[in-house]
Amino acid sequence: MRDTKIFESVERELNRQRNNIELIASENFVSEQILELAGTVLTNKYAEGYPSKRYYGGCQFVDEVENIARDRLKELFGCEHANVQPHSGAQANTAVYLALLKTGDKVLGMSLADGGHLTHGHPLNYSGINYEFHSYGVRKDTETIDYDDYKKKVEEIKPKLVVAGASAYSRIIDFEFMAKVAHDNGALFMVDMAHIAGLVAAGLHPSPFPHADIVTTTTHKTLRGPRGGVIMCKEQFAADIDRAVFPGMQGGPLMHIIAAKAACFYEALQPEFKEYAKQIIKNTKALEKSLKEEGFRLVAGGTDNHLLLVDVKASCGISGKKAERLLDEINITANKNAIPFDTEKPFKASGIRVGTPAMTTKGFNEDDFREVGKIIAYRLKNEETDEVKEECLRRVKALTDKVTMYQDKTYLK
Ligand code: DSN
């Protein structure tokens, strides 16, 4: 019997994805073939273990899938070893810690408050609970990574592992320098490149390879694949990483998602992917210019990548929470975000984070993003009236009517 109730919710979400301007910097729209692969019969198959070393029979075809995914990922980033089984980025990071650290070991990661990630040592996360995490952050004057302070901390703390990477940072990260400092002080160096993986794949952000010992990423952000994680490492760490993922952290891998990851890596190896990644950066620069012209204060003065942090408190006297709601009401989806040295609690926050990958995939260009900046300004800088809301909704619709996504098939029948 068909579960109409749940399909109705999915249909509402499909329509939201079709009609909204999606600015969540960590989201994207996968291709139809990736959607199709994520819904295949591979979901039925248990395959604990690794290709040719499984704990179940009947794995010959899923072995083909996992081998293709691993080979393509190695080709894409030029890494020595790849594990495509982590169910998410958080699990990929946790598996790395399990592989390399003992409980209580010292680790240095970027503070969440300055743009890092929960799994980089937040006290409420497994990382911060199980290991002695210390944090580096950004300078107050430039809001960019304080590399001098980072070096000082590595030298003083002597961590066993350094974690680089961020989830709300709009500038280039100097992986080469950070790796050198870590290695000079006897630390291993890991990069979580989840946000920028697609830009790295396209050569538009300096690669963490060959400087990093281990690199993790999600596959669903700028890389534009299915929701999931992967780990890449030097050959010397391969056995420990594989053992930490299975049997250390996970049981059966999600073979349907691994098939979809393989297609994501295939797509990222095509020349068109580079054009998409270049357009992301052009679009973020257009949005930056538009927001600056409208008088917004941008954290770190602007962007080099796929996202911007907008200080809405300084720019319009409202919280990130309120800005998120006001934009939601005009079909623009973004998220409130703490900004460095924020005086508001994270659930209220002084900023919003906006990114261009998803709408770049849908076909938005620089002109469209200039208009997005103007609509955001019109909404956030005016009184909360029906007239303002209606005008914004009209302008959002004019933009979204120009692009289509998931229109050819219903996906629901
Ligand atoms: N939650 C992701 C983000 O939005 O950046 C990071 O994992």
Side-chain angles (χ1 to χ4, degrees):
M1 208 161 118
R2 190 159 172 91
D3 184 353
T4 48
K5 194 170 164 60
I6 202 72
F7 275 102
E8 280 164 14
S9 291
V10 175
E11 185 159 12
R12 284 193 283 276
E13 170 58 13
L14 172 62
N15 286 329
R16 190 194 67 81
Q17 291 190 19
R18 281 175 174 159
N19 300 329
N20 278 31
I21 293 181
E22 180 57 73
L23 297 184
I24 293 185
S26 48
E27 293 186 10
N28 215 323
F29 298 108
V30 298
S31 66
E32 294 191 356
Q33 68 174 348
I34 289 176
L35 263 191
E36 201 176 325
L37 286 162
T40 55
V41 294
L42 271 61
T43 194
N44 297 329
K45 189 71 198 97
Y46 248 124
E48 282 180 12
Y50 291 98
S52 307
K53 285 171 278 177
R54 304 283 192 188
Y55 290 83
Y56 291 84
C59 286
Q60 59 272 42
F61 306 116
V62 290
D63 276 6
E64 289 172 11
V65 168
E66 188 164 347
N67 279 328
I68 291 169
R70 294 200 295 197
D71 289 347
R72 285 182 183 159
L73 184 59
K74 286 197 274 183
E75 184 186 345
L76 184 60
F77 290 108
C79 60
E80 293 176 15
H81 179 75
N83 187 310
V84 295
Q85 292 194 3
H87 301 329
S88 70
Q91 282 187 275
N93 288 348
T94 309
V96 173
Y97 304 150
L98 184 65
L100 304 181
L101 304 173
K102 290 195 183 59
T103 303
D105 272 351
K106 291 180 186 169
V107 190
L108 183 65
M110 187 159 171
S111 149
L112 178 67
D114 287 11
H117 189 254
L118 267 181
T119 58
H120 300 181
H122 191 278
L124 295 177
N125 180 262
Y126 174 85
S127 53
I129 293 168
N130 214 40
Y131 308 104
E132 188 188 313
F133 258 88
H134 298 256
S135 55
Y136 61 90
V138 299
R139 291 165 57 111
K140 207 157 190 172
D141 52 351
T142 59
E143 295 169 306
T144 57
I145 292 175
D146 189 338
Y147 289 104
D148 293 335
D149 181 62
Y150 161 76
K151 184 167 182 281
K152 206 166 124 227
K153 285 187 168 143
V154 176
E155 287 166 355
E156 277 171 17
I157 296 162
K158 296 277 179 210
K160 185 157 178 197
L161 175 71
V162 167
V163 184
S167 62
Y169 187 69
S170 61
R171 294 299 186 182
I172 298 281
I173 302 178
D174 190 346
F175 296 131
E176 187 173 1
F177 173 80
M178 292 182 79
K180 184 170 184 328
V181 172
H183 290 148
D184 284 351
N185 288 278
L188 292 168
F189 184 65
M190 159 186 170
V191 174
D192 173 351
M193 64 168 183
H195 262 264
I196 54 169
L199 305 180
V200 171
L204 299 175
H205 186 290
S207 175
F209 304 99
H211 317 294
D213 300 295
I214 314 264
V215 177
T216 60
T217 182
T218 51
T219 42
H220 49 269
K221 298 189 173 88
T222 47
L223 201 51
R224 205 167 55 180
R227 190 156 291 279
V230 297
I231 304 174
M232 292 159 274
C233 63
K234 294 181 175 163
E235 195 56 48
Q236 72 192 93
F237 302 106
D240 287 342
I241 289 292
D242 284 353
R243 207 177 307 113
V245 174
F246 173 83
M249 282 277 304
Q250 296 183 176
L254 307 176
M255 293 313 306
H256 52 307
I257 298 301
I258 290 177
K261 285 175 182 171
C264 155
F265 308 146
Y266 171 78
E267 289 175 9
L269 283 161
Q270 307 310 311
E272 297 81 2
F273 189 86
K274 195 160 188 167
E275 295 311 309
Y276 143 79
K278 277 188 195 158
Q279 192 62 46
I280 287 178
I281 296 196
K282 284 187 200 162
N283 284 346
T284 326
K285 293 306 282 182
L287 182 58
E288 171 194 272
K289 190 161 183 287
S290 172
L291 290 170
K292 276 186 177 169
E293 281 167 7
E294 295 289 345
F296 281 91
R297 190 186 89 76
L298 304 177
V299 171
T303 183
D304 301 320
N305 60 22
H306 63 298
L307 68 81
L308 281 160
L309 268 181
V310 188
D311 182 346
V312 288
K313 189 174 176 193
S315 311
C316 346
I318 60 172
S319 67
K321 186 176 178 200
K322 182 168 180 187
E324 180 186 301
R325 175 181 62 77
L326 288 174
L327 295 177
D328 235 346
E329 288 171 2
I330 58 161
N331 293 346
I332 293 181
T333 314
N335 62 276
K336 62 178 172 287
N337 215 101
I339 60 170
F341 312 99
D342 209 327
T343 49
E344 299 290 350
K345 293 216 159 62
F347 207 72
K348 198 170 176 204
S350 297
I352 54 168
R353 188 185 63 166
V354 289
T356 59
M359 294 313 291
T360 301
T361 295
K362 265 199 189 178
F364 269 25
N365 60 22
E366 293 101 305
D367 286 343
D368 300 322
F369 271 101
R370 273 190 282 276
E371 168 68 352
V372 169
K374 287 185 193 146
I375 300 172
I376 290 175
Y378 189 65
R379 177 61 169 162
L380 301 188
K381 288 183 169 256
N382 277 299
E383 291 297 312
E384 221 181 312
T385 63
D386 286 347
E387 290 71 37
V388 170
K389 185 174 161 185
E390 293 310 316
E391 163 75 3
C392 289
L393 281 168
R394 189 191 58 70
R395 288 166 68 180
V396 165
K397 189 165 182 317
L399 285 176
T400 55
D401 277 352
K402 292 200 297 184
V403 291
T404 57
M405 175 64 57
Y406 307 143
Q407 301 286 353
D408 305 345
K409 297 181 191 167
T410 67
Y411 298 102
L412 297 168
K413 298 285 184 293

